[in-house]
Amino acid sequence: MENAERYMRQAIGLAQQAVANGNHPFGALLVRDGKVVLTAVNTVHTDHDITHHAELNLVSQASQQFAPEFLAECTLVTSTEPCAMCAGAIYWSGISRVVFGCSAAALGQIAGGDFLQPCKEIFAQGRRPITVIGPVLEDEERPFTNNIGPSLAKKTSPETPGNGRCAPPRGSLQSAAYFAVKGRSCDRLRKTPQYRWLLSFIHQSGL
């Protein structure tokens, strides 16, 4: 895809916007004929809906605004490889191409989680082909770009005894750990295997 890196940096910017709004760090955009026609961010927390991933929000809006023939000529660019749920929505929407930044494998190493199957394998189960390009700029996107940690730190209240909340750890990898268990108390956060694994990785890597 021509200008894939330029579009990916826009998706990364949308992921940063999602963080600033208090959501998970994911953003997506729809491109047709070299123009961005629609954008969306993750709104899981602000909408109180676990299905409101960036890609699913984008597909939902696109399906309401554009005809299937239009979507068939579109490319969905997303900061992180679509999960199984979002891959299914992309397939049924008729969108013909996906470009992603951080891969599902890298996301799993960073934050753990379920259903982190490569989207190409999911699309392969369908009857129509979908072109998949990625990872693109994974070094910038993994984990969720270096700018996400500072943005999150500004958004989250510092730890205060009794309020059940805490500021995210410093740095990108630590922020990924925070997002992996977002919404839990500080004590519970620090006891999760994802958090402990990341801290161990950070210390061993000298990051």
Side-chain angles (χ1 to χ4, degrees):
M1 177 188 181
E2 188 176 355
N3 298 319
E5 293 188 356
R6 176 166 64 89
Y7 295 126
M8 185 56 62
R9 289 193 172 96
Q10 291 184 50
I12 292 172
L14 289 167
Q16 293 174 312
Q17 179 183 324
V19 172
N21 293 336
N23 294 294
H24 292 310
F26 305 109
L29 51 90
L30 196 65
V31 179
R32 188 178 190 274
D33 296 332
K35 297 181 180 180
V36 176
V37 296
L38 200 62
T39 65
V41 299
N42 180 288
T43 57
V44 163
H45 292 298
T46 51
D47 288 347
H48 305 287
D49 190 328
I50 59 173
T51 69
H52 282 194
H53 292 191
E55 300 94 333
L56 198 58
N57 286 340
L58 187 72
V59 169
S60 178
Q61 295 177 48
S63 298
Q64 295 177 54
Q65 295 184 33
F66 305 119
E69 296 78 13
F70 183 95
L71 293 178
E73 301 297 324
C74 289
T75 298
L76 188 149
V77 181
T78 177
S79 59
T80 301
E81 187 169 4
C83 70
M85 174 182 69
C86 294
I90 292 167
Y91 177 84
W92 291 114
S93 73
I95 292 170
S96 60
R97 184 184 294 109
V98 172
V99 180
F100 66 84
C102 181
S103 66
L107 178 62
Q109 292 174 359
I110 294 166
D114 299 320
F115 300 110
L116 295 178
Q117 183 177 5
C119 65
K120 183 179 293 187
E121 295 180 5
I122 298 174
F123 294 143
Q125 303 303 311
R127 294 184 177 181
R128 69 177 184 87
I130 297 180
T131 302
V132 177
I133 301 172
V136 175
L137 297 181
E138 189 169 37
D139 289 342
E140 295 186 23
E141 176 58 18
R142 181 185 182 184
F144 319 135
T145 78
N146 292 329
N147 295 324
I148 286 176
S151 299
L152 179 60
K154 294 178 182 178
K155 183 68 178 179
T156 309
S157 301
E159 183 174 357
T160 302
N163 73 351
R165 296 183 297 176
C166 65
R170 295 174 60 188
S172 298
L173 284 168
Q174 295 98 323
S175 295
Y178 173 81
F179 273 115
V181 290
K182 184 172 173 59
R184 305 181 184 183
S185 68
C186 285
D187 288 340
R188 291 182 64 193
L189 184 154
R190 290 172 180 141
K191 292 177 182 178
T192 58
Q194 296 101 324
Y195 188 88
R196 292 196 299 269
W197 182 91
L198 277 166
L199 289 185
S200 175
F201 177 81
I202 291 163
H203 293 317
Q204 292 177 13
S205 303
L207 299 176

